[in-house]
Amino acid sequence: MTLCCLNGVIGPLDEARISPMDRGFLFGDGVYEVLAHVDGVTRARQLHQARLAQSLARIQLESAISIDAIFADVDRLLAASALTSAKIYLQVTRGAASERDHRFPAQITPTIFVMATAWSPTVLGPQAMIIAPDIRWQWNAIKSTSLLANVLIQQQASEAGAVDALLHRDGWLTEASTSNAFVFQDGALLTPPLSDRLLPGITRHLVLELARKHGLTVLETEIAIDQLPQADLVMITSSTRGLVPITRLLPDQTIGRGEVPAVFETLQADYQRVLHAHP
Ligand code: PMP
């Protein structure tokens, strides 16, 4: 039985209930995090806590929330579920109000939901992606629960047989619909710079740290979407997928020679090591 923690109360996931007046349900007025818990360790926990704090601040909900209390819920839920490896989903919304009104309610009681599902990390081999216009809103650095555009893009990718879509605004790569994007090119690692056009991925952060430690040339720079086939490799990253090599662009393009260079394998192996050590 999968358990969850809703507003501090642990119980079966399929018995948890929220109000239909919850602003998360009505407006997508909330933020979330997804964490990997592997062999008893919640990976990069402090980085996720810091990003959650940032998301809450951007939507002016930080004063109603204790991040420590949410992570105490995470720990209690993991203990109650007896899961040593799990995918943790946590969501904070601006709670329910008596009326459907776009403006913030005078009194805010946030809804705090944590779910832990049995999961174990898998290492994905070379994958294919599609390219799609980035139709999302303008504040993508906020990990918002308003994910309709991401849902539509991911569905389109899936129907095309792709793992995800590489997104672009006006021909410039932003990220993918559920991960950050990188390019290996002539011994350098390139990724678009942080801005409101993309999520500041935790995995992105760790990978850049590692690559610099390895002496790789790291460039946070704009990348033209039509240059991708000329790259040696494209890579996408996320907390649950890790580092994924992309060698094909559907329907019919190959990236570089369609092979995974040794530098990717090294980075991926190091990433696994770092995660075990990261607080
Ligand atoms: N970008 C988007 C749009 C995402 O949904 C995710 C996954 N949460 C990421 C990037 C990767 O972020 P992280 O490495 O923190 O999982």
mmCIF file of all heavy atoms in Angstrom, residues 204-238:
data_model
loop_
_atom_site.group_PDB
_atom_site.id
_atom_site.type_symbol
_atom_site.label_atom_id
_atom_site.label_comp_id
_atom_site.label_asym_id
_atom_site.label_seq_id
_atom_site.Cartn_x
_atom_site.Cartn_y
_atom_site.Cartn_z
ATOM 1 N N ARG A 204 21.606 19.409 -13.093
ATOM 2 C CA ARG A 204 22.390 20.354 -13.904
ATOM 3 C C ARG A 204 23.517 20.945 -13.061
ATOM 4 O O ARG A 204 24.679 20.975 -13.475
ATOM 5 C CB ARG A 204 21.463 21.468 -14.423
ATOM 6 C CG ARG A 204 22.149 22.565 -15.213
ATOM 7 C CD ARG A 204 21.190 23.723 -15.465
ATOM 8 N NE ARG A 204 21.784 24.758 -16.268
ATOM 9 C CZ ARG A 204 22.618 25.692 -15.792
ATOM 10 N NH1 ARG A 204 22.940 25.710 -14.514
ATOM 11 N NH2 ARG A 204 23.124 26.607 -16.606
ATOM 12 N N HIS A 205 23.168 21.408 -11.862
ATOM 13 C CA HIS A 205 24.132 22.025 -10.958
ATOM 14 C C HIS A 205 25.271 21.046 -10.625
ATOM 15 O O HIS A 205 26.456 21.386 -10.706
ATOM 16 C CB HIS A 205 23.389 22.451 -9.686
ATOM 17 C CG HIS A 205 24.267 22.965 -8.598
ATOM 18 N ND1 HIS A 205 24.610 24.287 -8.492
ATOM 19 C CD2 HIS A 205 24.877 22.325 -7.565
ATOM 20 C CE1 HIS A 205 25.403 24.444 -7.438
ATOM 21 N NE2 HIS A 205 25.567 23.272 -6.860
ATOM 22 N N LEU A 206 24.906 19.807 -10.273
ATOM 23 C CA LEU A 206 25.914 18.816 -9.879
ATOM 24 C C LEU A 206 26.803 18.441 -11.059
ATOM 25 O O LEU A 206 28.020 18.276 -10.910
ATOM 26 C CB LEU A 206 25.222 17.565 -9.319
ATOM 27 C CG LEU A 206 24.426 17.779 -8.017
ATOM 28 C CD1 LEU A 206 23.639 16.523 -7.652
ATOM 29 C CD2 LEU A 206 25.376 18.165 -6.869
ATOM 30 N N VAL A 207 26.189 18.324 -12.240
ATOM 31 C CA VAL A 207 26.948 17.946 -13.438
ATOM 32 C C VAL A 207 27.957 19.041 -13.803
ATOM 33 O O VAL A 207 29.111 18.756 -14.126
ATOM 34 C CB VAL A 207 25.981 17.670 -14.617
ATOM 35 C CG1 VAL A 207 26.693 17.726 -15.956
ATOM 36 C CG2 VAL A 207 25.304 16.318 -14.443
ATOM 37 N N LEU A 208 27.546 20.295 -13.707
ATOM 38 C CA LEU A 208 28.469 21.390 -14.041
ATOM 39 C C LEU A 208 29.642 21.417 -13.059
ATOM 40 O O LEU A 208 30.796 21.605 -13.451
ATOM 41 C CB LEU A 208 27.733 22.735 -14.051
ATOM 42 C CG LEU A 208 26.751 22.930 -15.203
ATOM 43 C CD1 LEU A 208 26.070 24.291 -15.116
ATOM 44 C CD2 LEU A 208 27.435 22.774 -16.557
ATOM 45 N N GLU A 209 29.327 21.188 -11.767
ATOM 46 C CA GLU A 209 30.380 21.144 -10.746
ATOM 47 C C GLU A 209 31.396 20.058 -11.079
ATOM 48 O O GLU A 209 32.603 20.274 -11.060
ATOM 49 C CB GLU A 209 29.705 20.816 -9.407
ATOM 50 C CG GLU A 209 30.126 21.670 -8.235
ATOM 51 C CD GLU A 209 29.270 21.341 -7.014
ATOM 52 O OE1 GLU A 209 29.145 20.146 -6.642
ATOM 53 O OE2 GLU A 209 28.712 22.277 -6.443
ATOM 54 N N LEU A 210 30.862 18.877 -11.414
ATOM 55 C CA LEU A 210 31.714 17.729 -11.726
ATOM 56 C C LEU A 210 32.550 17.961 -12.976
ATOM 57 O O LEU A 210 33.741 17.633 -13.006
ATOM 58 C CB LEU A 210 30.833 16.518 -12.013
ATOM 59 C CG LEU A 210 30.544 15.575 -10.887
ATOM 60 C CD1 LEU A 210 29.732 14.413 -11.409
ATOM 61 C CD2 LEU A 210 31.849 15.085 -10.274
ATOM 62 N N ALA A 211 31.908 18.481 -14.014
ATOM 63 C CA ALA A 211 32.601 18.680 -15.286
ATOM 64 C C ALA A 211 33.766 19.649 -15.086
ATOM 65 O O ALA A 211 34.863 19.437 -15.630
ATOM 66 C CB ALA A 211 31.627 19.209 -16.332
ATOM 67 N N ARG A 212 33.534 20.697 -14.286
ATOM 68 C CA ARG A 212 34.609 21.675 -14.037
ATOM 69 C C ARG A 212 35.743 21.007 -13.264
ATOM 70 O O ARG A 212 36.916 21.216 -13.551
ATOM 71 C CB ARG A 212 34.073 22.877 -13.253
ATOM 72 C CG ARG A 212 33.161 23.742 -14.112
ATOM 73 C CD ARG A 212 32.836 25.097 -13.478
ATOM 74 N NE ARG A 212 32.084 25.913 -14.406
ATOM 75 C CZ ARG A 212 30.765 26.195 -14.296
ATOM 76 N NH1 ARG A 212 30.077 25.728 -13.277
ATOM 77 N NH2 ARG A 212 30.160 26.932 -15.202
ATOM 78 N N LYS A 213 35.379 20.155 -12.296
ATOM 79 C CA LYS A 213 36.384 19.440 -11.519
ATOM 80 C C LYS A 213 37.246 18.559 -12.429
ATOM 81 O O LYS A 213 38.422 18.368 -12.208
ATOM 82 C CB LYS A 213 35.672 18.592 -10.454
ATOM 83 C CG LYS A 213 36.355 18.647 -9.103
ATOM 84 C CD LYS A 213 35.566 17.925 -8.040
ATOM 85 C CE LYS A 213 34.648 18.869 -7.281
ATOM 86 N NZ LYS A 213 33.773 18.180 -6.339
ATOM 87 N N HIS A 214 36.625 18.033 -13.465
ATOM 88 C CA HIS A 214 37.324 17.166 -14.419
ATOM 89 C C HIS A 214 38.177 17.932 -15.403
ATOM 90 O O HIS A 214 38.804 17.334 -16.265
ATOM 91 C CB HIS A 214 36.308 16.359 -15.220
ATOM 92 C CG HIS A 214 36.007 15.049 -14.588
ATOM 93 N ND1 HIS A 214 36.910 14.034 -14.538
ATOM 94 C CD2 HIS A 214 34.922 14.613 -13.957
ATOM 95 C CE1 HIS A 214 36.374 13.013 -13.901
ATOM 96 N NE2 HIS A 214 35.165 13.345 -13.527
ATOM 97 N N GLY A 215 38.098 19.263 -15.342
ATOM 98 C CA GLY A 215 38.879 20.058 -16.281
ATOM 99 C C GLY A 215 38.238 20.173 -17.652
ATOM 100 O O GLY A 215 38.872 20.631 -18.606
ATOM 101 N N LEU A 216 36.981 19.760 -17.756
ATOM 102 C CA LEU A 216 36.274 19.951 -19.035
ATOM 103 C C LEU A 216 35.999 21.438 -19.222
ATOM 104 O O LEU A 216 35.731 22.138 -18.248
ATOM 105 C CB LEU A 216 34.918 19.248 -18.983
ATOM 106 C CG LEU A 216 34.777 17.849 -19.518
ATOM 107 C CD1 LEU A 216 33.364 17.339 -19.267
ATOM 108 C CD2 LEU A 216 35.034 17.877 -21.010
ATOM 109 N N THR A 217 36.017 21.898 -20.452
ATOM 110 C CA THR A 217 35.593 23.272 -20.707
ATOM 111 C C THR A 217 34.076 23.317 -20.592
ATOM 112 O O THR A 217 33.380 22.566 -21.275
ATOM 113 C CB THR A 217 36.016 23.699 -22.130
ATOM 114 O OG1 THR A 217 37.419 23.510 -22.228
ATOM 115 C CG2 THR A 217 35.658 25.140 -22.416
ATOM 116 N N VAL A 218 33.594 24.171 -19.687
ATOM 117 C CA VAL A 218 32.147 24.269 -19.478
ATOM 118 C C VAL A 218 31.688 25.642 -19.943
ATOM 119 O O VAL A 218 32.231 26.660 -19.515
ATOM 120 C CB VAL A 218 31.802 24.079 -17.985
ATOM 121 C CG1 VAL A 218 30.344 24.382 -17.726
ATOM 122 C CG2 VAL A 218 32.143 22.664 -17.537
ATOM 123 N N LEU A 219 30.718 25.665 -20.820
ATOM 124 C CA LEU A 219 30.209 26.941 -21.324
ATOM 125 C C LEU A 219 28.719 27.030 -21.075
ATOM 126 O O LEU A 219 27.954 26.206 -21.589
ATOM 127 C CB LEU A 219 30.480 27.064 -22.836
ATOM 128 C CG LEU A 219 31.944 27.142 -23.259
ATOM 129 C CD1 LEU A 219 32.056 27.070 -24.769
ATOM 130 C CD2 LEU A 219 32.568 28.438 -22.744
ATOM 131 N N GLU A 220 28.329 28.002 -20.242
ATOM 132 C CA GLU A 220 26.894 28.271 -20.077
ATOM 133 C C GLU A 220 26.570 29.333 -21.117
ATOM 134 O O GLU A 220 26.847 30.515 -20.916
ATOM 135 C CB GLU A 220 26.600 28.698 -18.649
ATOM 136 C CG GLU A 220 26.819 27.560 -17.670
ATOM 137 C CD GLU A 220 26.501 27.926 -16.242
ATOM 138 O OE1 GLU A 220 25.322 28.118 -15.915
ATOM 139 O OE2 GLU A 220 27.459 28.030 -15.455
ATOM 140 N N THR A 221 26.029 28.885 -22.208
ATOM 141 C CA THR A 221 25.891 29.758 -23.366
ATOM 142 C C THR A 221 24.655 29.386 -24.178
ATOM 143 O O THR A 221 24.177 28.251 -24.093
ATOM 144 C CB THR A 221 27.167 29.641 -24.241
ATOM 145 O OG1 THR A 221 27.048 30.523 -25.345
ATOM 146 C CG2 THR A 221 27.353 28.239 -24.798
ATOM 147 N N GLU A 222 24.172 30.323 -24.970
ATOM 148 C CA GLU A 222 23.020 30.023 -25.831
ATOM 149 C C GLU A 222 23.418 28.999 -26.896
ATOM 150 O O GLU A 222 24.537 29.041 -27.420
ATOM 151 C CB GLU A 222 22.505 31.306 -26.496
ATOM 152 C CG GLU A 222 22.061 32.383 -25.505
ATOM 153 C CD GLU A 222 20.932 31.946 -24.583
ATOM 154 O OE1 GLU A 222 20.267 30.919 -24.871
ATOM 155 O OE2 GLU A 222 20.721 32.614 -23.555
ATOM 156 N N ILE A 223 22.503 28.091 -27.198
ATOM 157 C CA ILE A 223 22.772 27.018 -28.172
ATOM 158 C C ILE A 223 21.673 27.058 -29.238
ATOM 159 O O ILE A 223 20.487 26.996 -28.894
ATOM 160 C CB ILE A 223 22.787 25.648 -27.464
ATOM 161 C CG1 ILE A 223 23.896 25.599 -26.403
ATOM 162 C CG2 ILE A 223 22.929 24.507 -28.485
ATOM 163 C CD1 ILE A 223 23.798 24.419 -25.446
ATOM 164 N N ALA A 224 22.081 27.170 -30.481
ATOM 165 C CA ALA A 224 21.093 27.199 -31.573
ATOM 166 C C ALA A 224 20.550 25.794 -31.778
ATOM 167 O O ALA A 224 21.306 24.821 -31.857
ATOM 168 C CB ALA A 224 21.741 27.710 -32.853
ATOM 169 N N ILE A 225 19.245 25.679 -31.855
ATOM 170 C CA ILE A 225 18.614 24.354 -31.945
ATOM 171 C C ILE A 225 19.026 23.638 -33.224
ATOM 172 O O ILE A 225 19.180 22.416 -33.239
ATOM 173 C CB ILE A 225 17.059 24.478 -31.813
ATOM 174 C CG1 ILE A 225 16.447 23.142 -31.408
ATOM 175 C CG2 ILE A 225 16.409 25.029 -33.056
ATOM 176 C CD1 ILE A 225 16.493 22.836 -29.965
ATOM 177 N N ASP A 226 19.288 24.400 -34.303
ATOM 178 C CA ASP A 226 19.636 23.724 -35.563
ATOM 179 C C ASP A 226 21.093 23.266 -35.596
ATOM 180 O O ASP A 226 21.530 22.641 -36.553
ATOM 181 C CB ASP A 226 19.255 24.581 -36.782
ATOM 182 C CG ASP A 226 19.923 25.934 -36.757
ATOM 183 O OD1 ASP A 226 20.825 26.118 -35.921
ATOM 184 O OD2 ASP A 226 19.552 26.794 -37.580
ATOM 185 N N GLN A 227 21.851 23.576 -34.507
ATOM 186 C CA GLN A 227 23.227 23.074 -34.422
ATOM 187 C C GLN A 227 23.306 21.692 -33.768
ATOM 188 O O GLN A 227 24.360 21.061 -33.765
ATOM 189 C CB GLN A 227 24.096 24.046 -33.589
ATOM 190 C CG GLN A 227 24.318 25.403 -34.234
ATOM 191 C CD GLN A 227 24.967 25.268 -35.598
ATOM 192 O OE1 GLN A 227 26.024 24.646 -35.722
ATOM 193 N NE2 GLN A 227 24.321 25.790 -36.638
ATOM 194 N N LEU A 228 22.200 21.227 -33.223
ATOM 195 C CA LEU A 228 22.256 19.987 -32.431
ATOM 196 C C LEU A 228 22.761 18.768 -33.220
ATOM 197 O O LEU A 228 23.532 17.979 -32.689
ATOM 198 C CB LEU A 228 20.892 19.691 -31.784
ATOM 199 C CG LEU A 228 20.439 20.710 -30.733
ATOM 200 C CD1 LEU A 228 19.124 20.274 -30.096
ATOM 201 C CD2 LEU A 228 21.496 20.920 -29.657
ATOM 202 N N PRO A 229 22.363 18.596 -34.482
ATOM 203 C CA PRO A 229 22.870 17.413 -35.202
ATOM 204 C C PRO A 229 24.392 17.423 -35.351
ATOM 205 O O PRO A 229 25.013 16.369 -35.488
ATOM 206 C CB PRO A 229 22.182 17.510 -36.574
ATOM 207 C CG PRO A 229 20.974 18.352 -36.347
ATOM 208 C CD PRO A 229 21.357 19.331 -35.266
ATOM 209 N N GLN A 230 25.002 18.615 -35.282
ATOM 210 C CA GLN A 230 26.469 18.701 -35.429
ATOM 211 C C GLN A 230 27.200 18.455 -34.110
ATOM 212 O O GLN A 230 28.431 18.403 -34.067
ATOM 213 C CB GLN A 230 26.875 20.071 -35.964
ATOM 214 C CG GLN A 230 26.704 20.233 -37.471
ATOM 215 C CD GLN A 230 25.283 20.668 -37.820
ATOM 216 O OE1 GLN A 230 24.839 21.712 -37.376
ATOM 217 N NE2 GLN A 230 24.584 19.848 -38.581
ATOM 218 N N ALA A 231 26.464 18.324 -33.011
ATOM 219 C CA ALA A 231 27.109 18.086 -31.714
ATOM 220 C C ALA A 231 27.677 16.664 -31.675
ATOM 221 O O ALA A 231 27.305 15.809 -32.481
ATOM 222 C CB ALA A 231 26.088 18.263 -30.603
ATOM 223 N N ASP A 232 28.579 16.415 -30.697
ATOM 224 C CA ASP A 232 29.064 15.036 -30.512
ATOM 225 C C ASP A 232 28.003 14.213 -29.790
ATOM 226 O O ASP A 232 27.851 13.026 -30.037
ATOM 227 C CB ASP A 232 30.359 15.046 -29.690
ATOM 228 C CG ASP A 232 31.461 15.784 -30.438
ATOM 229 O OD1 ASP A 232 31.487 15.707 -31.682
ATOM 230 O OD2 ASP A 232 32.272 16.457 -29.776
ATOM 231 N N LEU A 233 27.288 14.873 -28.872
ATOM 232 C CA LEU A 233 26.237 14.195 -28.113
ATOM 233 C C LEU A 233 25.351 15.255 -27.466
ATOM 234 O O LEU A 233 25.837 16.319 -27.084
ATOM 235 C CB LEU A 233 26.859 13.338 -26.989
ATOM 236 C CG LEU A 233 25.894 12.488 -26.159
ATOM 237 C CD1 LEU A 233 25.405 11.274 -26.959
ATOM 238 C CD2 LEU A 233 26.548 12.003 -24.861
ATOM 239 N N VAL A 234 24.070 14.954 -27.336
ATOM 240 C CA VAL A 234 23.187 15.761 -26.496
ATOM 241 C C VAL A 234 22.945 14.945 -25.229
ATOM 242 O O VAL A 234 22.977 13.703 -25.263
ATOM 243 C CB VAL A 234 21.857 16.078 -27.229
ATOM 244 C CG1 VAL A 234 20.824 16.693 -26.293
ATOM 245 C CG2 VAL A 234 22.121 17.024 -28.410
ATOM 246 N N MET A 235 22.751 15.625 -24.100
ATOM 247 C CA MET A 235 22.493 14.910 -22.840
ATOM 248 C C MET A 235 21.345 15.630 -22.133
ATOM 249 O O MET A 235 21.289 16.860 -22.151
ATOM 250 C CB MET A 235 23.757 14.967 -21.972
ATOM 251 C CG MET A 235 23.557 14.523 -20.536
ATOM 252 S SD MET A 235 25.123 14.444 -19.622
ATOM 253 C CE MET A 235 25.381 16.164 -19.194
ATOM 254 N N ILE A 236 20.441 14.866 -21.535
ATOM 255 C CA ILE A 236 19.440 15.479 -20.664
ATOM 256 C C ILE A 236 19.655 14.964 -19.241
ATOM 257 O O ILE A 236 20.172 13.853 -19.046
ATOM 258 C CB ILE A 236 17.990 15.229 -21.152
ATOM 259 C CG1 ILE A 236 17.673 13.745 -21.285
ATOM 260 C CG2 ILE A 236 17.727 15.987 -22.453
ATOM 261 C CD1 ILE A 236 16.181 13.456 -21.491
ATOM 262 N N THR A 237 19.263 15.793 -18.269
ATOM 263 C CA THR A 237 19.508 15.429 -16.868
ATOM 264 C C THR A 237 18.284 15.720 -16.002
ATOM 265 O O THR A 237 17.586 16.707 -16.206
ATOM 266 C CB THR A 237 20.686 16.254 -16.286
ATOM 267 O OG1 THR A 237 20.333 17.642 -16.258
ATOM 268 C CG2 THR A 237 21.961 16.072 -17.069
ATOM 269 N N SER A 238 18.042 14.827 -15.051
ATOM 270 C CA SER A 238 17.047 15.108 -14.011
ATOM 271 C C SER A 238 17.332 14.206 -12.814
ATOM 272 O O SER A 238 18.076 13.219 -12.930
ATOM 273 C CB SER A 238 15.623 14.877 -14.517
ATOM 274 O OG SER A 238 15.325 13.507 -14.550
#
